[in-house]
Coordinates of all heavy atoms in Angstrom, one line a residue:
A77 N 115.8 110.4 51.1 CA 117.0 109.7 51.3 C 116.9 108.2 51.1 O 117.7 107.6 50.5 CB 117.6 110.0 52.7
L78 N 115.7 107.7 51.6 CA 115.5 106.2 51.4 C 115.3 105.9 49.9 O 115.8 104.9 49.4 CB 114.3 105.8 52.2 CG 114.0 104.3 52.3 CD1 115.2 103.6 52.9 CD2 112.8 104.1 53.1
A79 N 114.6 106.8 49.2 CA 114.3 106.5 47.8 C 115.7 106.6 47.0 O 115.9 105.8 46.1 CB 113.3 107.5 47.2
L80 N 116.5 107.5 47.4 CA 117.8 107.7 46.7 C 118.7 106.4 47.0 O 119.3 105.9 46.1 CB 118.6 108.9 47.2 CG 120.0 109.1 46.7 CD1 119.9 109.3 45.2 CD2 120.7 110.2 47.4
W81 N 118.6 105.9 48.2 CA 119.4 104.7 48.5 C 118.9 103.5 47.7 O 119.6 102.8 47.1 CB 119.2 104.4 50.0 CG 119.8 103.0 50.4 CD1 121.1 102.8 50.7 CD2 119.0 101.8 50.6 NE1 121.2 101.4 51.0 CE2 120.0 100.8 50.9 CE3 117.7 101.5 50.5 CZ2 119.6 99.5 51.2 CZ3 117.3 100.2 50.7 CH2 118.3 99.2 51.0
L82 N 117.5 103.4 47.6 CA 117.0 102.3 46.8 C 117.4 102.4 45.3 O 117.7 101.4 44.7 CB 115.4 102.3 46.9 CG 114.7 101.2 46.2 CD1 115.1 99.8 46.7 CD2 113.2 101.4 46.2
V83 N 117.3 103.6 44.8 CA 117.7 103.8 43.4 C 119.2 103.4 43.2 O 119.6 102.8 42.2 CB 117.4 105.2 42.9 CG1 118.1 105.6 41.6 CG2 115.9 105.5 42.8
L84 N 120.1 103.8 44.1 CA 121.5 103.5 44.0 C 121.8 102.1 44.1 O 122.6 101.5 43.4 CB 122.3 104.3 45.0 CG 122.4 105.8 44.8 CD1 123.1 106.5 45.9 CD2 123.0 106.1 43.4
V85 N 121.1 101.4 45.0 CA 121.3 99.9 45.2 C 120.8 99.2 44.0 O 121.6 98.3 43.4 CB 120.6 99.4 46.5 CG1 120.6 97.9 46.5 CG2 121.3 99.9 47.7
V86 N 119.6 99.5 43.5 CA 119.1 98.8 42.3 C 120.0 99.2 41.1 O 120.3 98.3 40.3 CB 117.6 99.2 42.1 CG1 117.1 98.6 40.8 CG2 116.8 98.6 43.2
G87 N 120.3 100.4 41.0 CA 121.2 100.9 39.8 C 122.5 100.2 39.8 O 123.0 99.8 38.8
Y88 N 123.1 100.0 41.0 CA 124.4 99.3 41.1 C 124.3 97.9 40.7 O 125.1 97.4 39.9 CB 124.9 99.4 42.6 CG 126.3 98.8 42.8 CD1 127.4 99.5 42.5 CD2 126.4 97.5 43.2 CE1 128.7 99.0 42.7 CE2 127.7 96.9 43.4 CZ 128.8 97.7 43.1 OH 130.0 97.1 43.3
D89 N 123.2 97.2 41.1 CA 123.0 95.8 40.7 C 122.8 95.7 39.2 O 123.3 94.8 38.6 CB 121.9 95.2 41.5 CG 122.2 94.9 42.9 OD1 123.4 94.8 43.2 OD2 121.3 94.8 43.8
L90 N 122.0 96.6 38.7 CA 121.8 96.6 37.2 C 123.1 96.9 36.5 O 123.3 96.3 35.4 CB 120.7 97.6 36.8 CG 119.3 97.3 37.2 CD1 118.4 98.4 36.9 CD2 118.8 96.0 36.5
G91 N 123.9 97.8 37.0 CA 125.2 98.0 36.3 C 126.1 96.8 36.3 O 126.8 96.5 35.3
V92 N 126.1 96.1 37.5 CA 127.0 94.9 37.6 C 126.5 93.8 36.6 O 127.3 93.2 35.9 CB 127.0 94.4 39.0 CG1 127.6 93.0 39.1 CG2 127.8 95.3 39.9
M93 N 125.1 93.7 36.5 CA 124.6 92.7 35.6 C 124.9 93.1 34.1 O 125.2 92.2 33.3 CB 123.1 92.5 35.8 CG 122.7 91.8 37.0 SD 121.0 91.3 37.2 CE 120.2 92.9 37.0
G94 N 124.9 94.4 33.8 CA 125.2 94.8 32.5 C 126.6 94.6 32.1 O 126.9 94.1 31.0
V95 N 127.5 94.9 33.1 CA 129.0 94.7 32.8 C 129.2 93.2 32.7 O 130.0 92.8 31.8 CB 129.8 95.3 33.9 CG1 131.3 94.8 33.9 CG2 129.7 96.8 33.9
T96 N 128.6 92.4 33.5 CA 128.7 90.9 33.4 C 128.3 90.4 32.0 O 128.9 89.6 31.4 CB 127.9 90.2 34.5 OG1 128.4 90.7 35.8 CG2 128.2 88.7 34.5
T97 N 127.2 91.0 31.5 CA 126.7 90.6 30.2 C 127.6 91.0 29.1 O 127.9 90.3 28.2 CB 125.3 91.2 30.0 OG1 124.4 90.8 31.0 CG2 124.7 90.7 28.7
L98 N 128.2 92.3 29.2 CA 129.1 92.7 28.2 C 130.4 92.0 28.1 O 131.0 91.8 27.1 CB 129.4 94.2 28.4 CG 128.2 95.2 28.1 CD1 128.7 96.6 28.5 CD2 127.9 95.2 26.7
L99 N 130.8 91.5 29.3 CA 132.1 90.7 29.3 C 131.8 89.2 29.4 O 132.3 88.5 30.2 CB 132.9 91.1 30.6 CG 133.3 92.6 30.7 CD1 134.0 92.9 32.0 CD2 134.2 93.0 29.5
G100 N 131.0 88.8 28.4 CA 130.5 87.4 28.4 C 131.6 86.4 28.4 O 131.5 85.3 28.9
G101 N 132.7 86.7 27.8 CA 133.8 85.7 27.7 C 134.7 85.6 28.9 O 135.4 84.7 29.1
Q102 N 134.6 86.7 29.8 CA 135.4 86.7 31.0 C 134.8 85.8 32.0 O 133.6 85.5 32.1 CB 135.5 88.1 31.6 CG 136.1 89.1 30.7 CD 137.6 88.9 30.6 OE1 138.2 88.4 31.6 NE2 138.2 89.3 29.5
P103 N 135.7 85.3 32.9 CA 135.1 84.5 34.0 C 134.3 85.4 34.9 O 134.6 86.5 35.2 CB 136.4 84.0 34.8 CG 137.5 84.2 33.9 CD 137.1 85.3 32.9
L104 N 133.2 84.9 35.3 CA 132.2 85.6 36.1 C 132.8 86.1 37.4 O 132.5 87.2 37.9 CB 131.0 84.7 36.4 CG 129.7 85.4 36.8 CD1 129.3 86.5 35.8 CD2 128.6 84.4 37.0
R105 N 133.7 85.3 38.0 CA 134.3 85.7 39.2 C 135.1 87.0 39.2 O 135.2 87.7 40.1 CB 135.2 84.5 39.6 CG 135.6 84.5 41.1 CD 136.4 83.3 41.5 NE 136.3 82.2 40.6 CZ 137.0 81.1 40.6 NH1 138.0 81.1 41.4 NH2 136.8 80.1 39.8
S106 N 135.7 87.3 38.0 CA 136.5 88.5 37.8 C 135.6 89.8 37.9 O 136.2 90.8 38.2 CB 137.3 88.4 36.5 OG 136.4 88.5 35.4
V107 N 134.4 89.6 37.6 CA 133.5 90.8 37.7 C 132.7 90.8 39.0 O 132.6 91.9 39.6 CB 132.4 90.7 36.5 CG1 131.4 91.8 36.7 CG2 133.1 90.8 35.2
L108 N 132.3 89.7 39.5 CA 131.4 89.7 40.7 C 132.2 89.9 42.0 O 131.7 90.6 42.9 CB 130.7 88.3 40.8 CG 129.6 88.1 39.7 CD1 129.0 86.8 39.9 CD2 128.6 89.2 39.8
L109 N 133.4 89.4 42.1 CA 134.1 89.6 43.4 C 134.5 91.1 43.6 O 134.2 91.6 44.7 CB 135.4 88.8 43.4 CG 136.0 88.6 44.7 CD1 135.1 88.0 45.8 CD2 137.3 87.8 44.6
P110 N 135.0 91.8 42.7 CA 135.2 93.3 43.0 C 133.9 94.0 43.2 O 133.8 94.9 44.0 CB 135.9 93.8 41.7 CG 136.5 92.6 41.1 CD 135.6 91.5 41.4
A111 N 132.9 93.7 42.4 CA 131.6 94.3 42.6 C 131.0 94.0 44.0 O 130.4 94.9 44.6 CB 130.6 93.8 41.6
L112 N 131.2 92.8 44.5 CA 130.8 92.5 45.8 C 131.5 93.3 46.9 O 130.9 93.8 47.9 CB 131.0 91.0 46.1 CG 130.7 90.4 47.5 CD1 129.2 90.6 47.8 CD2 131.2 89.0 47.6
L113 N 132.8 93.4 46.8 CA 133.6 94.1 47.8 C 133.4 95.6 47.8 O 133.7 96.2 48.8 CB 135.1 93.8 47.6 CG 135.5 92.3 47.8 CD1 137.0 92.1 47.5 CD2 135.2 91.9 49.2
L114 N 132.8 96.1 46.7 CA 132.5 97.6 46.7 C 131.1 97.9 47.1 O 130.8 99.1 47.3 CB 132.7 98.1 45.2 CG 134.2 98.1 44.8 CD1 134.2 98.5 43.3 CD2 135.0 99.0 45.6
N115 N 130.3 96.9 47.3 CA 128.9 97.1 47.6 C 128.6 96.6 49.1 O 128.4 95.4 49.3 CB 128.0 96.4 46.6 CG 126.5 96.7 46.9 OD1 126.1 97.3 47.8 ND2 125.7 96.2 45.9
P116 N 128.5 97.5 50.1 CA 128.3 97.1 51.4 C 127.0 96.4 51.7 O 126.9 95.5 52.5 CB 128.5 98.3 52.3 CG 128.3 99.5 51.3 CD 128.7 99.0 50.0
V117 N 126.0 96.7 50.9 CA 124.7 96.1 51.1 C 124.7 94.6 50.7 O 124.3 93.7 51.4 CB 123.6 96.8 50.3 CG1 122.3 96.1 50.4 CG2 123.4 98.2 50.9
D118 N 125.3 94.4 49.5 CA 125.4 93.0 49.0 C 126.4 92.2 49.8 O 126.2 91.0 50.1 CB 125.8 93.1 47.5 CG 125.5 91.8 46.8 OD1 124.7 91.0 47.3 OD2 126.2 91.5 45.8
L119 N 127.5 92.9 50.2 CA 128.5 92.2 51.0 C 127.9 91.8 52.4 O 128.2 90.6 52.8 CB 129.7 93.1 51.2 CG 130.9 92.5 52.0 CD1 131.4 91.3 51.3 CD2 132.0 93.6 52.1
S120 N 127.1 92.6 53.0 CA 126.5 92.2 54.3 C 125.6 91.0 54.1 O 125.6 90.1 54.9 CB 125.7 93.3 54.8 OG 126.5 94.4 55.1
R121 N 124.8 91.0 53.0 CA 123.9 89.9 52.7 C 124.7 88.6 52.5 O 124.4 87.5 53.0 CB 123.1 90.1 51.4 CG 122.1 89.0 51.1 CD 121.5 89.2 49.7 NE 122.5 89.3 48.6 CZ 123.1 88.2 48.1 NH1 122.9 87.0 48.5 NH2 124.0 88.4 47.1
V122 N 125.8 88.7 51.8 CA 126.6 87.5 51.5 C 127.3 87.0 52.8 O 127.4 85.8 53.0 CB 127.7 87.8 50.4 CG1 128.7 86.7 50.3 CG2 127.0 87.9 49.1
L123 N 127.8 87.9 53.6 CA 128.4 87.5 54.9 C 127.4 86.8 55.8 O 127.8 85.8 56.5 CB 129.0 88.7 55.6 CG 130.2 89.3 55.0 CD1 130.7 90.5 55.7 CD2 131.4 88.3 54.9
V124 N 126.2 87.3 55.9 CA 125.2 86.6 56.7 C 124.9 85.2 56.1 O 124.8 84.2 56.9 CB 123.9 87.5 56.8 CG1 122.7 86.7 57.3 CG2 124.1 88.7 57.6
T125 N 124.8 85.1 54.8 CA 124.6 83.8 54.2 C 125.7 82.9 54.4 O 125.5 81.7 54.7 CB 124.4 84.0 52.6 OG1 123.4 85.0 52.4 CG2 124.0 82.7 52.0
L126 N 127.0 83.4 54.4 CA 128.1 82.5 54.7 C 128.1 82.1 56.1 O 128.5 80.9 56.4 CB 129.4 83.2 54.3 CG 129.7 83.3 52.8 CD1 131.0 84.1 52.6 CD2 129.8 82.0 52.1
A127 N 127.8 83.0 57.0 CA 127.8 82.7 58.4 C 126.8 81.6 58.8 O 127.0 80.8 59.6 CB 127.6 84.0 59.3
V128 N 125.6 81.7 58.2 CA 124.5 80.8 58.4 C 124.9 79.4 57.8 O 124.6 78.4 58.3 CB 123.2 81.3 57.9 CG1 122.1 80.2 57.9 CG2 122.8 82.5 58.7
G129 N 125.6 79.5 56.6 CA 126.0 78.3 56.0 C 124.9 77.6 55.2 O 125.1 76.4 54.9
E130 N 123.9 78.3 54.8 CA 122.8 77.7 54.0 C 123.1 77.8 52.6 O 123.1 78.8 51.9 CB 121.5 78.5 54.3 CG 120.3 77.8 53.8 CD 120.0 76.5 54.5 OE1 120.2 76.3 55.7 OE2 119.6 75.6 53.7
G131 N 123.5 76.6 52.0 CA 124.0 76.6 50.6 C 122.9 76.9 49.6 O 123.2 77.4 48.5
A132 N 121.7 76.7 49.9 CA 120.6 77.0 49.0 C 120.4 78.5 48.8 O 119.9 78.9 47.8 CB 119.3 76.4 49.5
L133 N 120.9 79.3 49.7 CA 120.7 80.8 49.6 C 121.9 81.4 48.9 O 121.8 82.6 48.7 CB 120.6 81.4 51.0 CG 119.5 80.9 51.9 CD1 119.6 81.6 53.3 CD2 118.2 81.3 51.3
F134 N 122.9 80.7 48.5 CA 124.0 81.3 47.8 C 123.6 81.9 46.5 O 123.1 81.1 45.7 CB 125.2 80.3 47.7 CG 125.9 80.0 48.9 CD1 126.8 79.0 49.0 CD2 125.7 80.7 50.1 CE1 127.5 78.7 50.1 CE2 126.3 80.4 51.3 CZ 127.2 79.4 51.3
G135 N 123.9 83.1 46.2 CA 123.8 83.6 44.9 C 125.1 83.6 44.2 O 126.1 83.0 44.7
P136 N 125.2 84.2 43.0 CA 126.4 84.1 42.2 C 127.6 84.9 42.9 O 128.7 84.4 42.8 CB 126.1 84.8 40.9 CG 124.8 85.5 41.1 CD 124.1 84.8 42.3
T137 N 127.3 86.0 43.6 CA 128.3 86.7 44.3 C 128.9 85.9 45.5 O 130.1 85.8 45.7 CB 127.9 88.0 44.8 OG1 126.7 87.9 45.6 CG2 127.6 89.0 43.6
A138 N 128.0 85.2 46.3 CA 128.5 84.4 47.4 C 129.3 83.2 46.9 O 130.3 82.8 47.4 CB 127.3 84.0 48.2
A139 N 128.8 82.7 45.8 CA 129.5 81.5 45.2 C 130.9 81.9 44.7 O 131.9 81.2 44.9 CB 128.7 80.9 44.1
A140 N 131.0 83.1 44.1 CA 132.3 83.6 43.6 C 133.3 83.8 44.8 O 134.5 83.5 44.7 CB 132.1 84.9 42.8
L141 N 132.7 84.4 45.9 CA 133.6 84.6 47.1 C 134.0 83.3 47.7 O 135.2 83.1 48.1 CB 132.8 85.4 48.1 CG 133.6 85.8 49.4 CD1 134.8 86.7 49.1 CD2 132.7 86.5 50.4
M142 N 133.1 82.3 47.8 CA 133.5 81.0 48.3 C 134.5 80.3 47.5 O 135.4 79.7 48.0 CB 132.2 80.1 48.5 CG 131.5 80.4 49.8 SD 130.3 79.2 50.1 CE 131.3 77.7 50.2
R143 N 134.4 80.3 46.1 CA 135.3 79.7 45.3 C 136.7 80.3 45.3 O 137.7 79.7 45.2 CB 134.8 79.7 43.8 CG 133.8 78.6 43.6 CD 133.5 78.5 42.1 NE 132.1 78.2 41.9 CZ 131.2 79.0 41.3 NH1 131.7 80.1 40.8 NH2 130.0 78.7 41.3
T144 N 136.7 81.7 45.5 CA 138.0 82.4 45.5 C 138.7 82.2 46.9 O 139.9 82.0 46.9 CB 137.7 83.9 45.3 OG1 137.1 84.0 44.0 CG2 139.0 84.6 45.3
A145 N 138.0 82.4 48.0 CA 138.6 82.4 49.3 C 138.2 81.3 50.2 O 138.8 81.1 51.2 CB 138.3 83.8 49.9
G146 N 137.1 80.6 50.0 CA 136.6 79.6 50.9 C 135.8 80.3 52.0 O 135.7 81.5 52.0
T147 N 135.1 79.6 52.8 CA 134.2 80.1 53.8 C 134.8 81.0 54.8 O 134.5 82.1 55.0 CB 133.4 79.0 54.4 OG1 132.7 78.2 53.4 CG2 132.3 79.6 55.3
S148 N 135.8 80.5 55.5 CA 136.5 81.2 56.6 C 137.2 82.4 56.1 O 137.1 83.5 56.6 CB 137.5 80.3 57.4 OG 136.8 79.2 57.9
A149 N 138.0 82.2 55.0 CA 138.7 83.4 54.5 C 137.8 84.4 53.8 O 138.0 85.6 53.9 CB 139.8 82.9 53.5
G150 N 136.7 83.9 53.2 CA 135.7 84.7 52.7 C 135.0 85.6 53.7 O 134.8 86.8 53.5
L151 N 134.7 85.0 54.9 CA 134.2 85.9 56.0 C 135.2 86.9 56.4 O 134.8 88.1 56.7 CB 133.8 85.0 57.1 CG 132.5 84.2 57.0 CD1 132.4 83.1 58.1 CD2 131.3 85.1 57.0
A152 N 136.5 86.5 56.5 CA 137.5 87.4 56.9 C 137.7 88.6 55.9 O 137.8 89.8 56.3 CB 138.8 86.7 57.1
V153 N 137.7 88.2 54.6 CA 137.8 89.3 53.6 C 136.6 90.2 53.6 O 136.8 91.4 53.5 CB 138.0 88.6 52.2 CG1 137.8 89.6 51.1 CG2 139.4 87.9 52.1
G154 N 135.4 89.6 53.8 CA 134.2 90.5 53.8 C 134.2 91.4 55.0 O 133.8 92.6 54.9
I155 N 134.5 90.9 56.2 CA 134.5 91.7 57.4 C 135.6 92.8 57.3 O 135.4 93.9 57.7 CB 134.7 90.8 58.6 CG1 133.5 90.0 58.8 CG2 135.0 91.7 59.8 CD1 133.6 88.9 59.9
A156 N 136.7 92.5 56.7 CA 137.8 93.5 56.5 C 137.3 94.6 55.5 O 137.6 95.7 55.8 CB 139.1 92.8 56.0
A157 N 136.6 94.2 54.5 CA 136.1 95.1 53.5 C 135.1 96.0 54.1 O 135.1 97.3 53.9 CB 135.6 94.4 52.3
L158 N 134.2 95.5 54.9 CA 133.2 96.3 55.6 C 133.9 97.2 56.7 O 133.4 98.4 56.8 CB 132.2 95.4 56.3 CG 131.1 94.8 55.4 CD1 130.2 93.9 56.3 CD2 130.3 95.9 54.8
A159 N 134.9 96.8 57.3 CA 135.6 97.6 58.3 C 136.3 98.8 57.6 O 136.2 99.9 58.0 CB 136.7 96.8 59.0
V160 N 136.9 98.5 56.4 CA 137.5 99.6 55.6 C 136.4 100.6 55.1 O 136.6 101.8 55.2 CB 138.3 99.1 54.4 CG1 138.7 100.1 53.4 CG2 139.5 98.3 54.9
Q161 N 135.3 100.1 54.7 CA 134.2 100.9 54.2 C 133.6 101.7 55.3 O 132.9 102.8 55.0 CB 133.1 100.1 53.5 CG 133.6 99.5 52.2 CD 132.6 98.5 51.6 OE1 131.6 98.2 52.3 NE2 132.9 98.0 50.5
T162 N 133.7 101.3 56.5 CA 133.2 102.1 57.7 C 134.3 103.1 58.2 O 134.0 104.2 58.5 CB 132.8 101.2 58.8 OG1 131.9 100.2 58.3 CG2 132.3 101.9 60.0
T163 N 135.5 102.6 58.3 CA 136.6 103.4 58.9 C 137.0 104.6 58.0 O 137.2 105.7 58.5 CB 137.8 102.5 59.2 OG1 137.3 101.4 60.0 CG2 138.9 103.3 59.9
V164 N 137.2 104.4 56.7 CA 137.7 105.4 55.9 C 136.8 106.7 55.9 O 137.2 107.8 56.1 CB 137.9 104.9 54.4 CG1 138.2 106.0 53.4 CG2 139.1 103.9 54.4
P165 N 135.4 106.5 55.7 CA 134.6 107.7 55.7 C 134.6 108.4 57.1 O 134.6 109.6 57.2 CB 133.2 107.2 55.4 CG 133.4 105.9 54.7 CD 134.7 105.4 55.2
L166 N 134.7 107.6 58.2 CA 134.8 108.2 59.5 C 136.0 109.0 59.7 O 136.0 110.1 60.3 CB 134.7 107.1 60.6 CG 133.3 106.5 60.8 CD1 133.3 105.4 61.8 CD2 132.3 107.5 61.2
L167 N 137.2 108.5 59.2 CA 138.4 109.2 59.3 C 138.4 110.5 58.5 O 138.9 111.5 58.9 CB 139.6 108.3 58.9 CG 139.9 107.2 59.9 CD1 141.0 106.3 59.4 CD2 140.3 107.7 61.3
L168 N 137.8 110.4 57.3 CA 137.7 111.6 56.4 C 136.8 112.6 57.1 O 137.1 113.8 57.1 CB 137.1 111.2 55.1 CG 138.1 110.5 54.1 CD1 137.4 110.0 52.9 CD2 139.3 111.3 53.8
A169 N 135.7 112.2 57.7 CA 134.8 113.1 58.4 C 135.5 113.8 59.6 O 135.4 115.0 59.8 CB 133.6 112.4 58.8
L170 N 136.3 113.0 60.3 CA 137.0 113.5 61.4 C 138.0 114.5 61.0 O 138.2 115.6 61.6 CB 137.8 112.3 62.2 CG 138.5 112.7 63.4 CD1 137.6 113.2 64.5 CD2 139.3 111.5 63.9
H171 N 138.7 114.3 59.9 CA 139.7 115.2 59.3 C 139.0 116.5 58.9 O 139.5 117.6 59.2 CB 140.4 114.6 58.1 CG 141.3 115.5 57.5 ND1 142.5 115.9 58.0 CD2 141.3 116.1 56.2 CE1 143.1 116.7 57.2 NE2 142.4 116.9 56.1
V172 N 137.9 116.4 58.3 CA 137.1 117.6 57.8 C 136.6 118.4 59.0 O 136.7 119.6 59.0 CB 136.0 117.2 56.9 CG1 135.0 118.4 56.6 CG2 136.5 116.7 55.6
F173 N 136.1 117.7 60.0 CA 135.5 118.4 61.1 C 136.6 119.1 62.0 O 136.3 120.1 62.6 CB 134.6 117.5 62.0 CG 133.3 117.1 61.3 CD1 132.8 115.8 61.4 CD2 132.6 118.0 60.5 CE1 131.7 115.5 60.8 CE2 131.5 117.7 59.9 CZ 131.0 116.4 60.0
R174 N 137.7 118.5 62.1 CA 138.8 119.1 62.8 C 139.3 120.4 62.1 O 139.8 121.3 62.8 CB 140.0 118.1 63.0 CG 139.7 117.1 64.1 CD 140.9 116.3 64.4 NE 140.6 115.4 65.5 CZ 141.3 114.4 65.8 NH1 142.4 114.1 65.1 NH2 141.0 113.6 66.8
R175 N 139.3 120.4 60.8 CA 139.8 121.5 60.1 C 138.8 122.7 60.0 O 139.1 123.8 59.8 CB 140.2 121.1 58.7 CG 141.4 120.2 58.6 CD 141.8 120.0 57.3 NE 142.2 121.3 56.7 CZ 142.7 121.4 55.5 NH1 142.9 120.4 54.7 NH2 142.9 122.6 55.0
R176 N 137.6 122.3 60.2 CA 136.5 123.3 60.1 C 136.5 124.3 61.3 O 136.6 123.9 62.5 CB 135.1 122.6 60.1 CG 134.0 123.5 59.7 CD 132.8 122.7 59.3 NE 132.0 123.6 58.5 CZ 131.0 123.2 57.8 NH1 130.7 121.9 57.9 NH2 130.3 124.0 57.1
D177 N 136.3 125.5 61.0 CA 136.3 126.6 62.1 C 134.9 126.8 62.5 O 134.1 127.4 61.8 CB 136.9 127.9 61.6 CG 137.1 128.9 62.6 OD1 137.1 128.5 63.8 OD2 137.2 130.1 62.3
W178 N 134.5 126.3 63.6 CA 133.1 126.4 64.1 C 133.0 127.8 64.8 O 132.2 128.3 65.3 CB 132.8 125.3 65.1 CG 132.8 124.0 64.4 CD1 133.9 123.1 64.5 CD2 131.8 123.4 63.6 NE1 133.6 122.0 63.8 CE2 132.3 122.1 63.2 CE3 130.6 123.7 63.2 CZ2 131.6 121.3 62.4 CZ3 129.9 122.9 62.4 CH2 130.4 121.6 62.0

């Protein structure tokens, strides 16, 4: 399971970099911000970086979030995205387990 997680995380990052390269004329923010909001691992890293406020640690995804929403709003958007990514699977699991005949 850990190896699968590692492959998926690295594969996702490579896919985002590939799409960013293919869309060379597009603003980088239009690719990185949705990719950031869909990846809970990267989003958690960016939220910790924003909370600490260490500018030297900002990568391109954190910079895109800060330029789009600012620090406070970026933290709020990130926390909301993580809450949705946690709540939706839990609600789906609850629905499936309630329907299941044990």
Side-chain angles (χ1 to χ4, degrees):
L78 187 59
L80 178 64
W81 172 81
L82 180 64
V83 167
L84 290 175
V85 167
V86 171
Y88 183 83
D89 287 340
L90 287 174
V92 168
M93 286 190 304
V95 168
T96 303
T97 303
L98 289 175
L99 301 175
Q102 295 287 334
L104 196 58
R105 199 177 333 169
S106 66
V107 175
L108 290 179
L109 193 58
L112 174 67
L113 294 177
L114 292 174
N115 185 353
V117 173
D118 199 22
L119 184 58
S120 299
R121 180 191 60 79
V122 168
L123 288 178
V124 168
T125 305
L126 286 177
V128 170
E130 191 63 38
L133 298 177
F134 287 171
T137 52
L141 183 63
M142 277 193 57
R143 278 190 221 117
T144 302
T147 304
S148 300
L151 283 170
V153 167
I155 290 170
L158 282 177
V160 167
Q161 291 172 356
T162 303
T163 305
V164 169
L166 287 175
L167 291 176
L168 287 173
L170 184 64
H171 176 70
V172 168
F173 290 142
R174 282 190 178 162
R175 292 188 59 177
R176 189 166 205 170
D177 186 20
W178 297 98

